[in-house]
Amino acid sequence: MECAMTRTHEIVLDIGDDGVGLPPDFAEWRDAGNGMVSVRHRLQKIGAALNVTSDDLGLRFQIILRPRRPRRTPARGNFVWL
């Protein structure tokens, strides 16, 4: 696993293994289970991207978290808007 920040302030998280990877005819829209669908959906909700690559060297997930634009609303009460 690796984590880095790009010059454009994106956080890139790489998670991979050295297993057999996905089957050659794997299609996410057809073959993905609830876990992969849920992860992609949750990442899309926060404006992040998910790239999945698979080959004979293993499976790799790359999550790209983009910086959010600052809110124009000031903090209120005892908490800070994130």
Side-chain angles (χ1 to χ4, degrees), residues 15-34:
I15 304 167
D17 66 19
D18 58 357
V20 297
L22 296 170
D25 61 342
F26 179 86
E28 187 173 336
W29 61 270
R30 179 189 64 216
D31 302 322
N34 290 334

